Amino acid sequence: QVQLVQSGAEVKKPGASVKVSCKASGYTINTYAIAWVRQAPGQGLEWMGCISGYDGKTNHAQKFQGRISMTTDTSTSTVYMELRSLRSDDTAVYYCARVGIVVKYFDLWGRGTLVSVS
Amino acid sequence: EIVLTQSPGTLSLSPGERATLSCRASQSVSSSYLAWYQQKPGQPPRLLIYGASFRATDIPDRFGGSGSGTDFTLTISRLEPEDFAVYYCQQYGSSLWTFGQGTKVEIK
């Protein structure tokens, strides 16, 4: 079954870091990228960053410069997103999504991980 | 960064009616990289349309996308009860993705 399974909810204090995982199954991870998108309560979707499953290259939105890291463990087909120096406005549901290397749309999504910063 | 502006913010319609959602970009977007997503409460977004006009797998043909340049449209020809949701447009360019702020389609 093709799916992305994310780690469970987290509660963090301001200034801490959080690491969210996204395990891919049912497809070859190195033929796609994984994007991270977050959604604050009652708000819209915000793209955070993306990591290539092919070569591990990353890119991210400017607002997360210096705070976000994304890595891939190819042995377990798991992608990780770490966000540092958490603030209360980082409280959101964090989604991972599969991205085609060429086509650039998000065709498969995880169910989301709620990160609460308080 | 390309800004996507969706209108209207909320669309109040009855089942069976036609819905027309707009997505306007602050600069020209490649049609190849314009997508639409549907999101229902408590669920992740679902890909509806990619390449501005191509329906994703298992998306019914009452959903249609059109447009080019800076103006794109998502049309739902006849609203079914399950179509009441929030819809987002998305673009990719210069290694960055941006989303519109969303249009909520609610039952009138």
Side-chain angles (χ1 to χ4, degrees), chain A residues 35 37 39 43-47 50 59-62 95 99 102-107 109-112, chain B residues 32-33 35 37 39 42-47 49-51 88 90 92 94-101:
Chain A
V37 176
Q39 186 170 38
Q43 302 301 307
L45 303 172
E46 179 177 33
W47 173 73
C50 185
N59 63 318
H60 56 267
Q62 181 63 32
Y95 294 103
V99 190
V102 174
V103 293
K104 306 301 184 185
Y105 50 77
F106 300 178
D107 68 341
W109 293 69
R111 296 207 59 81
Chain B
S32 298
Y33 298 144
Y37 299 83
Q39 188 180 32
Q43 296 184 18
R46 176 174 72 146
L47 177 68
I49 300 288
Y50 64 92
Y88 296 94
Q90 176 207 47
Y92 169 80
S94 302
S95 301
L96 303 173
W97 284 267
T98 54
F99 288 93
Q101 83 279 18

mmCIF file of all heavy atoms in Angstrom, chain A residues 35 37 39 43-47 50 59-62 95 99 102-107 109-112, chain B residues 32-33 35 37 39 42-47 49-51 88 90 92 94-101:
data_model
loop_
_atom_site.group_PDB
_atom_site.id
_atom_site.type_symbol
_atom_site.label_atom_id
_atom_site.label_comp_id
_atom_site.label_asym_id
_atom_site.label_seq_id
_atom_site.Cartn_x
_atom_site.Cartn_y
_atom_site.Cartn_z
ATOM 1 N N ALA A 35 8.050 16.781 0.598
ATOM 2 C CA ALA A 35 7.860 18.169 1.026
ATOM 3 C C ALA A 35 7.222 18.179 2.406
ATOM 4 O O ALA A 35 6.540 17.230 2.807
ATOM 5 C CB ALA A 35 6.973 18.914 0.035
ATOM 6 N N VAL A 37 4.729 20.589 4.795
ATOM 7 C CA VAL A 37 3.723 21.649 4.743
ATOM 8 C C VAL A 37 3.103 21.726 6.129
ATOM 9 O O VAL A 37 2.808 20.688 6.725
ATOM 10 C CB VAL A 37 2.634 21.323 3.698
ATOM 11 C CG1 VAL A 37 1.524 22.376 3.717
ATOM 12 C CG2 VAL A 37 3.249 21.198 2.306
ATOM 13 N N GLN A 39 0.131 23.642 8.847
ATOM 14 C CA GLN A 39 -1.158 24.324 8.880
ATOM 15 C C GLN A 39 -1.455 24.695 10.325
ATOM 16 O O GLN A 39 -1.739 23.822 11.148
ATOM 17 C CB GLN A 39 -2.243 23.420 8.301
ATOM 18 C CG GLN A 39 -3.591 24.080 8.154
ATOM 19 C CD GLN A 39 -4.558 23.226 7.358
ATOM 20 O OE1 GLN A 39 -4.587 22.004 7.470
ATOM 21 N NE2 GLN A 39 -5.345 23.868 6.506
ATOM 22 N N GLN A 43 -6.013 27.917 9.916
ATOM 23 C CA GLN A 43 -5.330 28.680 8.865
ATOM 24 C C GLN A 43 -5.108 27.832 7.615
ATOM 25 O O GLN A 43 -5.519 26.668 7.553
ATOM 26 C CB GLN A 43 -3.990 29.196 9.391
ATOM 27 C CG GLN A 43 -4.103 30.068 10.625
ATOM 28 C CD GLN A 43 -4.974 31.284 10.389
ATOM 29 O OE1 GLN A 43 -4.757 32.043 9.437
ATOM 30 N NE2 GLN A 43 -5.966 31.488 11.245
ATOM 31 N N GLY A 44 -4.447 28.444 6.637
ATOM 32 C CA GLY A 44 -4.191 27.761 5.382
ATOM 33 C C GLY A 44 -2.908 26.953 5.403
ATOM 34 O O GLY A 44 -2.283 26.741 6.448
ATOM 35 N N LEU A 45 -2.526 26.500 4.225
ATOM 36 C CA LEU A 45 -1.358 25.640 4.061
ATOM 37 C C LEU A 45 -0.117 26.489 3.810
ATOM 38 O O LEU A 45 -0.161 27.458 3.054
ATOM 39 C CB LEU A 45 -1.566 24.691 2.877
ATOM 40 C CG LEU A 45 -2.803 23.812 2.950
ATOM 41 C CD1 LEU A 45 -2.984 23.062 1.629
ATOM 42 C CD2 LEU A 45 -2.708 22.835 4.116
ATOM 43 N N GLU A 46 0.978 26.093 4.426
ATOM 44 C CA GLU A 46 2.244 26.816 4.284
ATOM 45 C C GLU A 46 3.349 25.820 3.946
ATOM 46 O O GLU A 46 3.661 24.933 4.741
ATOM 47 C CB GLU A 46 2.585 27.563 5.565
ATOM 48 C CG GLU A 46 3.895 28.329 5.513
ATOM 49 C CD GLU A 46 4.170 29.113 6.784
ATOM 50 O OE1 GLU A 46 3.773 28.654 7.878
ATOM 51 O OE2 GLU A 46 4.810 30.183 6.688
ATOM 52 N N TRP A 47 3.967 25.981 2.762
ATOM 53 C CA TRP A 47 5.086 25.128 2.390
ATOM 54 C C TRP A 47 6.327 25.521 3.184
ATOM 55 O O TRP A 47 6.661 26.697 3.293
ATOM 56 C CB TRP A 47 5.376 25.248 0.896
ATOM 57 C CG TRP A 47 6.611 24.518 0.491
ATOM 58 C CD1 TRP A 47 6.755 23.162 0.401
ATOM 59 C CD2 TRP A 47 7.883 25.070 0.161
ATOM 60 N NE1 TRP A 47 8.051 22.849 0.020
ATOM 61 C CE2 TRP A 47 8.755 24.000 -0.144
ATOM 62 C CE3 TRP A 47 8.376 26.375 0.079
ATOM 63 C CZ2 TRP A 47 10.078 24.192 -0.507
ATOM 64 C CZ3 TRP A 47 9.693 26.583 -0.292
ATOM 65 C CH2 TRP A 47 10.534 25.487 -0.581
ATOM 66 N N CYS A 50 11.628 21.036 1.266
ATOM 67 C CA CYS A 50 11.546 19.840 0.450
ATOM 68 C C CYS A 50 12.914 19.161 0.429
ATOM 69 O O CYS A 50 13.950 19.842 0.449
ATOM 70 C CB CYS A 50 11.120 20.232 -0.960
ATOM 71 S SG CYS A 50 10.831 18.858 -2.066
ATOM 72 N N ASN A 59 15.718 22.233 -0.100
ATOM 73 C CA ASN A 59 15.461 23.649 -0.198
ATOM 74 C C ASN A 59 14.302 23.975 0.739
ATOM 75 O O ASN A 59 13.539 23.080 1.125
ATOM 76 C CB ASN A 59 15.189 24.112 -1.629
ATOM 77 C CG ASN A 59 13.945 23.484 -2.213
ATOM 78 O OD1 ASN A 59 13.691 22.302 -2.033
ATOM 79 N ND2 ASN A 59 13.162 24.278 -2.921
ATOM 80 N N HIS A 60 14.220 25.252 1.137
ATOM 81 C CA HIS A 60 13.207 25.604 2.117
ATOM 82 C C HIS A 60 12.769 27.038 1.934
ATOM 83 O O HIS A 60 13.462 27.850 1.282
ATOM 84 C CB HIS A 60 13.735 25.396 3.540
ATOM 85 C CG HIS A 60 15.003 26.149 3.821
ATOM 86 N ND1 HIS A 60 16.245 25.579 3.652
ATOM 87 C CD2 HIS A 60 15.204 27.413 4.232
ATOM 88 C CE1 HIS A 60 17.171 26.469 3.963
ATOM 89 N NE2 HIS A 60 16.567 27.592 4.313
ATOM 90 N N ALA A 61 11.622 27.351 2.502
ATOM 91 C CA ALA A 61 11.125 28.713 2.458
ATOM 92 C C ALA A 61 12.041 29.614 3.298
ATOM 93 O O ALA A 61 12.557 29.195 4.344
ATOM 94 C CB ALA A 61 9.692 28.775 2.977
ATOM 95 N N GLN A 62 12.212 30.825 2.835
ATOM 96 C CA GLN A 62 13.139 31.756 3.477
ATOM 97 C C GLN A 62 12.818 31.966 4.953
ATOM 98 O O GLN A 62 13.732 32.089 5.792
ATOM 99 C CB GLN A 62 13.102 33.095 2.736
ATOM 100 C CG GLN A 62 14.048 34.137 3.285
ATOM 101 C CD GLN A 62 15.502 33.735 3.163
ATOM 102 O OE1 GLN A 62 15.881 33.037 2.222
ATOM 103 N NE2 GLN A 62 16.329 34.159 4.100
ATOM 104 N N TYR A 95 2.492 18.348 7.899
ATOM 105 C CA TYR A 95 2.262 17.272 6.929
ATOM 106 C C TYR A 95 3.522 17.016 6.114
ATOM 107 O O TYR A 95 4.242 17.958 5.745
ATOM 108 C CB TYR A 95 1.170 17.660 5.934
ATOM 109 C CG TYR A 95 -0.215 17.833 6.499
ATOM 110 C CD1 TYR A 95 -0.746 19.104 6.714
ATOM 111 C CD2 TYR A 95 -1.024 16.727 6.756
ATOM 112 C CE1 TYR A 95 -2.035 19.273 7.204
ATOM 113 C CE2 TYR A 95 -2.306 16.882 7.252
ATOM 114 C CZ TYR A 95 -2.804 18.157 7.466
ATOM 115 O OH TYR A 95 -4.089 18.312 7.940
ATOM 116 N N VAL A 99 6.375 14.326 -3.599
ATOM 117 C CA VAL A 99 6.476 15.254 -4.729
ATOM 118 C C VAL A 99 7.183 14.551 -5.879
ATOM 119 O O VAL A 99 8.256 13.966 -5.684
ATOM 120 C CB VAL A 99 7.290 16.506 -4.366
ATOM 121 C CG1 VAL A 99 7.167 17.559 -5.468
ATOM 122 C CG2 VAL A 99 6.883 17.072 -3.027
ATOM 123 N N VAL A 102 9.851 15.526 -11.334
ATOM 124 C CA VAL A 102 9.647 16.388 -12.507
ATOM 125 C C VAL A 102 8.353 17.181 -12.393
ATOM 126 O O VAL A 102 8.306 18.374 -12.661
ATOM 127 C CB VAL A 102 9.640 15.549 -13.803
ATOM 128 C CG1 VAL A 102 9.276 16.410 -15.004
ATOM 129 C CG2 VAL A 102 10.980 14.872 -14.000
ATOM 130 N N VAL A 103 7.284 16.518 -11.950
ATOM 131 C CA VAL A 103 5.964 17.133 -12.061
ATOM 132 C C VAL A 103 5.651 18.149 -10.967
ATOM 133 O O VAL A 103 4.808 18.995 -11.158
ATOM 134 C CB VAL A 103 4.873 16.059 -12.109
ATOM 135 C CG1 VAL A 103 4.975 15.264 -13.398
ATOM 136 C CG2 VAL A 103 4.949 15.144 -10.905
ATOM 137 N N LYS A 104 6.294 18.044 -9.800
ATOM 138 C CA LYS A 104 6.237 19.092 -8.762
ATOM 139 C C LYS A 104 4.909 19.276 -8.056
ATOM 140 O O LYS A 104 4.712 20.288 -7.393
ATOM 141 C CB LYS A 104 6.694 20.449 -9.346
ATOM 142 C CG LYS A 104 8.061 20.400 -10.009
ATOM 143 C CD LYS A 104 9.151 19.951 -9.070
ATOM 144 C CE LYS A 104 10.517 20.019 -9.749
ATOM 145 N NZ LYS A 104 11.583 19.477 -8.887
ATOM 146 N N TYR A 105 3.979 18.350 -8.184
ATOM 147 C CA TYR A 105 2.771 18.463 -7.372
ATOM 148 C C TYR A 105 2.813 17.414 -6.268
ATOM 149 O O TYR A 105 3.575 16.456 -6.317
ATOM 150 C CB TYR A 105 1.503 18.329 -8.217
ATOM 151 C CG TYR A 105 1.463 17.145 -9.145
ATOM 152 C CD1 TYR A 105 1.201 15.873 -8.687
ATOM 153 C CD2 TYR A 105 1.692 17.318 -10.510
ATOM 154 C CE1 TYR A 105 1.167 14.792 -9.543
ATOM 155 C CE2 TYR A 105 1.657 16.246 -11.377
ATOM 156 C CZ TYR A 105 1.394 14.988 -10.890
ATOM 157 O OH TYR A 105 1.371 13.924 -11.751
ATOM 158 N N PHE A 106 1.961 17.618 -5.256
ATOM 159 C CA PHE A 106 1.988 16.779 -4.055
ATOM 160 C C PHE A 106 0.875 15.741 -4.172
ATOM 161 O O PHE A 106 -0.288 16.046 -3.896
ATOM 162 C CB PHE A 106 1.794 17.634 -2.809
ATOM 163 C CG PHE A 106 2.841 18.718 -2.601
ATOM 164 C CD1 PHE A 106 2.744 19.578 -1.521
ATOM 165 C CD2 PHE A 106 3.917 18.871 -3.464
ATOM 166 C CE1 PHE A 106 3.698 20.567 -1.303
ATOM 167 C CE2 PHE A 106 4.865 19.865 -3.267
ATOM 168 C CZ PHE A 106 4.756 20.709 -2.181
ATOM 169 N N ASP A 107 1.204 14.532 -4.554
ATOM 170 C CA ASP A 107 0.163 13.559 -4.894
ATOM 171 C C ASP A 107 -0.158 12.578 -3.780
ATOM 172 O O ASP A 107 -1.102 11.798 -3.913
ATOM 173 C CB ASP A 107 0.525 12.806 -6.177
ATOM 174 C CG ASP A 107 1.719 11.881 -5.998
ATOM 175 O OD1 ASP A 107 2.484 12.066 -5.022
ATOM 176 O OD2 ASP A 107 1.877 10.974 -6.841
ATOM 177 N N TRP A 109 -0.155 12.340 0.670
ATOM 178 C CA TRP A 109 0.066 13.095 1.910
ATOM 179 C C TRP A 109 0.017 12.164 3.121
ATOM 180 O O TRP A 109 -0.739 11.192 3.143
ATOM 181 C CB TRP A 109 -1.031 14.155 2.074
ATOM 182 C CG TRP A 109 -1.008 15.257 1.071
ATOM 183 C CD1 TRP A 109 -1.300 15.160 -0.266
ATOM 184 C CD2 TRP A 109 -0.696 16.628 1.309
ATOM 185 N NE1 TRP A 109 -1.176 16.390 -0.864
ATOM 186 C CE2 TRP A 109 -0.813 17.314 0.076
ATOM 187 C CE3 TRP A 109 -0.338 17.359 2.442
ATOM 188 C CZ2 TRP A 109 -0.570 18.691 -0.055
ATOM 189 C CZ3 TRP A 109 -0.100 18.723 2.329
ATOM 190 C CH2 TRP A 109 -0.222 19.376 1.094
ATOM 191 N N GLY A 110 0.829 12.513 4.116
ATOM 192 C CA GLY A 110 0.667 11.872 5.411
ATOM 193 C C GLY A 110 -0.546 12.451 6.121
ATOM 194 O O GLY A 110 -1.124 13.457 5.663
ATOM 195 N N ARG A 111 -0.928 11.865 7.226
ATOM 196 C CA ARG A 111 -2.120 12.307 7.934
ATOM 197 C C ARG A 111 -1.859 13.493 8.863
ATOM 198 O O ARG A 111 -2.799 14.063 9.424
ATOM 199 C CB ARG A 111 -2.725 11.154 8.719
ATOM 200 C CG ARG A 111 -3.221 10.037 7.813
ATOM 201 C CD ARG A 111 -4.347 9.239 8.446
ATOM 202 N NE ARG A 111 -5.497 10.064 8.786
ATOM 203 C CZ ARG A 111 -6.432 10.442 7.923
ATOM 204 N NH1 ARG A 111 -6.359 10.106 6.646
ATOM 205 N NH2 ARG A 111 -7.451 11.184 8.325
ATOM 206 N N GLY A 112 -0.587 13.845 8.997
ATOM 207 C CA GLY A 112 -0.271 15.034 9.785
ATOM 208 C C GLY A 112 0.201 14.711 11.188
ATOM 209 O O GLY A 112 -0.179 13.682 11.765
ATOM 210 N N SER B 32 2.209 24.170 -16.167
ATOM 211 C CA SER B 32 2.654 22.833 -15.775
ATOM 212 C C SER B 32 2.745 22.690 -14.261
ATOM 213 O O SER B 32 2.701 21.578 -13.733
ATOM 214 C CB SER B 32 4.022 22.534 -16.385
ATOM 215 O OG SER B 32 3.959 22.533 -17.788
ATOM 216 N N TYR B 33 2.905 23.803 -13.582
ATOM 217 C CA TYR B 33 3.172 23.784 -12.151
ATOM 218 C C TYR B 33 2.061 24.420 -11.315
ATOM 219 O O TYR B 33 2.304 24.874 -10.201
ATOM 220 C CB TYR B 33 4.509 24.483 -11.863
ATOM 221 C CG TYR B 33 5.699 23.802 -12.501
ATOM 222 C CD1 TYR B 33 6.761 24.539 -13.002
ATOM 223 C CD2 TYR B 33 5.761 22.407 -12.606
ATOM 224 C CE1 TYR B 33 7.860 23.915 -13.587
ATOM 225 C CE2 TYR B 33 6.845 21.773 -13.177
ATOM 226 C CZ TYR B 33 7.893 22.535 -13.666
ATOM 227 O OH TYR B 33 8.979 21.909 -14.242
ATOM 228 N N ALA B 35 -1.460 23.641 -9.411
ATOM 229 C CA ALA B 35 -2.262 22.528 -8.910
ATOM 230 C C ALA B 35 -3.367 23.044 -7.991
ATOM 231 O O ALA B 35 -3.284 24.160 -7.457
ATOM 232 C CB ALA B 35 -1.373 21.533 -8.160
ATOM 233 N N TYR B 37 -5.952 21.646 -4.692
ATOM 234 C CA TYR B 37 -6.156 20.643 -3.657
ATOM 235 C C TYR B 37 -7.483 20.899 -2.949
ATOM 236 O O TYR B 37 -7.928 22.042 -2.825
ATOM 237 C CB TYR B 37 -5.029 20.694 -2.613
ATOM 238 C CG TYR B 37 -3.668 20.411 -3.191
ATOM 239 C CD1 TYR B 37 -2.941 21.415 -3.804
ATOM 240 C CD2 TYR B 37 -3.118 19.132 -3.146
ATOM 241 C CE1 TYR B 37 -1.693 21.171 -4.362
ATOM 242 C CE2 TYR B 37 -1.867 18.872 -3.698
ATOM 243 C CZ TYR B 37 -1.169 19.903 -4.305
ATOM 244 O OH TYR B 37 0.053 19.640 -4.863
ATOM 245 N N GLN B 39 -9.429 20.130 0.761
ATOM 246 C CA GLN B 39 -9.202 19.698 2.140
ATOM 247 C C GLN B 39 -10.499 19.741 2.934
ATOM 248 O O GLN B 39 -11.198 20.752 2.945
ATOM 249 C CB GLN B 39 -8.150 20.560 2.834
ATOM 250 C CG GLN B 39 -7.759 20.007 4.203
ATOM 251 C CD GLN B 39 -6.717 20.840 4.927
ATOM 252 O OE1 GLN B 39 -6.658 22.055 4.780
ATOM 253 N NE2 GLN B 39 -5.868 20.176 5.729
ATOM 254 N N GLY B 42 -10.131 17.964 9.442
ATOM 255 C CA GLY B 42 -9.467 16.829 10.065
ATOM 256 C C GLY B 42 -8.745 15.900 9.103
ATOM 257 O O GLY B 42 -8.261 14.842 9.516
ATOM 258 N N GLN B 43 -8.681 16.281 7.834
ATOM 259 C CA GLN B 43 -8.022 15.446 6.839
ATOM 260 C C GLN B 43 -6.876 16.209 6.177
ATOM 261 O O GLN B 43 -6.884 17.444 6.137
ATOM 262 C CB GLN B 43 -9.024 15.010 5.764
ATOM 263 C CG GLN B 43 -10.140 14.136 6.277
ATOM 264 C CD GLN B 43 -11.038 13.661 5.145
ATOM 265 O OE1 GLN B 43 -10.680 13.697 3.964
ATOM 266 N NE2 GLN B 43 -12.236 13.211 5.509
ATOM 267 N N PRO B 44 -5.909 15.460 5.632
ATOM 268 C CA PRO B 44 -4.878 16.147 4.835
ATOM 269 C C PRO B 44 -5.469 16.607 3.507
ATOM 270 O O PRO B 44 -6.536 16.130 3.090
ATOM 271 C CB PRO B 44 -3.822 15.056 4.622
ATOM 272 C CG PRO B 44 -4.583 13.783 4.705
ATOM 273 C CD PRO B 44 -5.684 14.017 5.697
ATOM 274 N N PRO B 45 -4.808 17.507 2.842
ATOM 275 C CA PRO B 45 -5.264 17.911 1.494
ATOM 276 C C PRO B 45 -5.217 16.729 0.527
ATOM 277 O O PRO B 45 -4.475 15.758 0.731
ATOM 278 C CB PRO B 45 -4.255 18.993 1.090
ATOM 279 C CG PRO B 45 -3.685 19.490 2.372
ATOM 280 C CD PRO B 45 -3.657 18.299 3.280
ATOM 281 N N ARG B 46 -6.021 16.836 -0.507
ATOM 282 C CA ARG B 46 -6.037 15.816 -1.563
ATOM 283 C C ARG B 46 -5.831 16.520 -2.892
ATOM 284 O O ARG B 46 -6.497 17.520 -3.187
ATOM 285 C CB ARG B 46 -7.378 15.067 -1.550
ATOM 286 C CG ARG B 46 -7.520 14.049 -2.671
ATOM 287 C CD ARG B 46 -8.774 13.224 -2.566
ATOM 288 N NE ARG B 46 -9.981 13.962 -2.888
ATOM 289 C CZ ARG B 46 -11.051 13.426 -3.487
ATOM 290 N NH1 ARG B 46 -11.027 12.160 -3.842
ATOM 291 N NH2 ARG B 46 -12.116 14.154 -3.708
ATOM 292 N N LEU B 47 -4.943 15.969 -3.707
ATOM 293 C CA LEU B 47 -4.689 16.537 -5.030
ATOM 294 C C LEU B 47 -5.907 16.346 -5.925
ATOM 295 O O LEU B 47 -6.400 15.220 -6.076
ATOM 296 C CB LEU B 47 -3.460 15.876 -5.655
ATOM 297 C CG LEU B 47 -3.101 16.306 -7.078
ATOM 298 C CD1 LEU B 47 -2.616 17.760 -7.104
ATOM 299 C CD2 LEU B 47 -2.036 15.374 -7.658
ATOM 300 N N ILE B 49 -6.298 18.627 -9.127
ATOM 301 C CA ILE B 49 -5.910 19.054 -10.466
ATOM 302 C C ILE B 49 -4.413 19.355 -10.480
ATOM 303 O O ILE B 49 -3.898 19.978 -9.542
ATOM 304 C CB ILE B 49 -6.670 20.340 -10.882
ATOM 305 C CG1 ILE B 49 -8.176 20.131 -10.878
ATOM 306 C CG2 ILE B 49 -6.173 20.853 -12.242
ATOM 307 C CD1 ILE B 49 -8.701 19.270 -12.012
ATOM 308 N N TYR B 50 -3.721 18.917 -11.503
ATOM 309 C CA TYR B 50 -2.329 19.283 -11.704
ATOM 310 C C TYR B 50 -2.137 19.766 -13.126
ATOM 311 O O TYR B 50 -2.989 19.520 -13.993
ATOM 312 C CB TYR B 50 -1.388 18.109 -11.389
ATOM 313 C CG TYR B 50 -1.557 16.919 -12.315
ATOM 314 C CD1 TYR B 50 -0.794 16.800 -13.467
ATOM 315 C CD2 TYR B 50 -2.498 15.923 -12.037
ATOM 316 C CE1 TYR B 50 -0.955 15.727 -14.325
ATOM 317 C CE2 TYR B 50 -2.662 14.857 -12.885
ATOM 318 C CZ TYR B 50 -1.894 14.755 -14.022
ATOM 319 O OH TYR B 50 -2.043 13.691 -14.877
ATOM 320 N N GLY B 51 -1.036 20.470 -13.350
ATOM 321 C CA GLY B 51 -0.818 21.014 -14.685
ATOM 322 C C GLY B 51 -1.959 21.907 -15.132
ATOM 323 O O GLY B 51 -2.268 21.967 -16.323
ATOM 324 N N TYR B 88 -7.511 24.833 -2.231
ATOM 325 C CA TYR B 88 -6.287 25.618 -2.319
ATOM 326 C C TYR B 88 -5.655 25.468 -3.692
ATOM 327 O O TYR B 88 -5.584 24.355 -4.224
ATOM 328 C CB TYR B 88 -5.257 25.137 -1.286
ATOM 329 C CG TYR B 88 -5.659 25.320 0.150
ATOM 330 C CD1 TYR B 88 -6.284 24.296 0.853
ATOM 331 C CD2 TYR B 88 -5.392 26.515 0.823
ATOM 332 C CE1 TYR B 88 -6.647 24.462 2.180
ATOM 333 C CE2 TYR B 88 -5.748 26.679 2.156
ATOM 334 C CZ TYR B 88 -6.379 25.649 2.819
ATOM 335 O OH TYR B 88 -6.733 25.815 4.139
ATOM 336 N N GLN B 90 -1.971 26.031 -5.776
ATOM 337 C CA GLN B 90 -0.549 25.927 -5.440
ATOM 338 C C GLN B 90 0.265 26.119 -6.707
ATOM 339 O O GLN B 90 -0.133 25.652 -7.774
ATOM 340 C CB GLN B 90 -0.255 24.543 -4.856
ATOM 341 C CG GLN B 90 1.205 24.252 -4.545
ATOM 342 C CD GLN B 90 1.499 22.754 -4.623
ATOM 343 O OE1 GLN B 90 1.110 22.078 -5.575
ATOM 344 N NE2 GLN B 90 2.180 22.226 -3.620
ATOM 345 N N TYR B 92 4.486 26.163 -8.329
ATOM 346 C CA TYR B 92 5.906 25.892 -8.132
ATOM 347 C C TYR B 92 6.694 26.751 -9.113
ATOM 348 O O TYR B 92 6.345 26.830 -10.304
ATOM 349 C CB TYR B 92 6.213 24.424 -8.398
ATOM 350 C CG TYR B 92 7.691 24.135 -8.461
ATOM 351 C CD1 TYR B 92 8.437 23.982 -7.306
ATOM 352 C CD2 TYR B 92 8.345 24.022 -9.701
ATOM 353 C CE1 TYR B 92 9.802 23.718 -7.372
ATOM 354 C CE2 TYR B 92 9.699 23.758 -9.770
ATOM 355 C CZ TYR B 92 10.425 23.619 -8.599
ATOM 356 O OH TYR B 92 11.771 23.370 -8.666
ATOM 357 N N SER B 94 11.039 28.510 -9.363
ATOM 358 C CA SER B 94 12.318 28.887 -8.757
ATOM 359 C C SER B 94 12.603 28.088 -7.493
ATOM 360 O O SER B 94 13.067 28.644 -6.479
ATOM 361 C CB SER B 94 12.333 30.387 -8.449
ATOM 362 O OG SER B 94 12.110 31.150 -9.620
ATOM 363 N N SER B 95 12.301 26.793 -7.537
ATOM 364 C CA SER B 95 12.555 25.864 -6.431
ATOM 365 C C SER B 95 11.724 26.158 -5.189
ATOM 366 O O SER B 95 12.073 25.715 -4.092
ATOM 367 C CB SER B 95 14.051 25.863 -6.053
ATOM 368 O OG SER B 95 14.841 25.488 -7.158
ATOM 369 N N LEU B 96 10.663 26.919 -5.344
ATOM 370 C CA LEU B 96 9.793 27.247 -4.218
ATOM 371 C C LEU B 96 8.346 26.909 -4.568
ATOM 372 O O LEU B 96 7.939 27.024 -5.725
ATOM 373 C CB LEU B 96 9.872 28.740 -3.879
ATOM 374 C CG LEU B 96 11.241 29.330 -3.558
ATOM 375 C CD1 LEU B 96 11.124 30.843 -3.413
ATOM 376 C CD2 LEU B 96 11.803 28.720 -2.277
ATOM 377 N N TRP B 97 7.588 26.530 -3.555
ATOM 378 C CA TRP B 97 6.153 26.330 -3.716
ATOM 379 C C TRP B 97 5.416 27.379 -2.874
ATOM 380 O O TRP B 97 5.869 27.743 -1.785
ATOM 381 C CB TRP B 97 5.740 24.955 -3.210
ATOM 382 C CG TRP B 97 6.056 23.810 -4.090
ATOM 383 C CD1 TRP B 97 5.237 23.241 -5.037
ATOM 384 C CD2 TRP B 97 7.267 23.028 -4.104
ATOM 385 N NE1 TRP B 97 5.875 22.184 -5.637
ATOM 386 C CE2 TRP B 97 7.116 22.026 -5.081
ATOM 387 C CE3 TRP B 97 8.468 23.096 -3.383
ATOM 388 C CZ2 TRP B 97 8.111 21.089 -5.360
ATOM 389 C CZ3 TRP B 97 9.457 22.167 -3.668
ATOM 390 C CH2 TRP B 97 9.277 21.180 -4.638
ATOM 391 N N THR B 98 4.298 27.835 -3.358
ATOM 392 C CA THR B 98 3.416 28.672 -2.549
ATOM 393 C C THR B 98 1.984 28.208 -2.750
ATOM 394 O O THR B 98 1.623 27.674 -3.805
ATOM 395 C CB THR B 98 3.531 30.168 -2.899
ATOM 396 O OG1 THR B 98 3.314 30.334 -4.307
ATOM 397 C CG2 THR B 98 4.877 30.727 -2.518
ATOM 398 N N PHE B 99 1.172 28.425 -1.710
ATOM 399 C CA PHE B 99 -0.246 28.110 -1.748
ATOM 400 C C PHE B 99 -1.047 29.404 -1.688
ATOM 401 O O PHE B 99 -0.617 30.397 -1.072
ATOM 402 C CB PHE B 99 -0.641 27.275 -0.527
ATOM 403 C CG PHE B 99 -0.142 25.858 -0.538
ATOM 404 C CD1 PHE B 99 1.059 25.520 0.078
ATOM 405 C CD2 PHE B 99 -0.880 24.847 -1.132
ATOM 406 C CE1 PHE B 99 1.518 24.217 0.089
ATOM 407 C CE2 PHE B 99 -0.434 23.536 -1.130
ATOM 408 C CZ PHE B 99 0.775 23.223 -0.518
ATOM 409 N N GLY B 100 -2.229 29.373 -2.279
ATOM 410 C CA GLY B 100 -3.192 30.422 -2.027
ATOM 411 C C GLY B 100 -3.757 30.264 -0.625
ATOM 412 O O GLY B 100 -3.519 29.255 0.040
ATOM 413 N N GLN B 101 -4.535 31.251 -0.209
ATOM 414 C CA GLN B 101 -5.055 31.238 1.164
ATOM 415 C C GLN B 101 -6.294 30.370 1.324
ATOM 416 O O GLN B 101 -6.740 30.150 2.455
ATOM 417 C CB GLN B 101 -5.352 32.679 1.626
ATOM 418 C CG GLN B 101 -6.697 33.234 1.180
ATOM 419 C CD GLN B 101 -6.696 33.760 -0.229
ATOM 420 O OE1 GLN B 101 -5.834 33.462 -1.048
ATOM 421 N NE2 GLN B 101 -7.706 34.576 -0.519
#
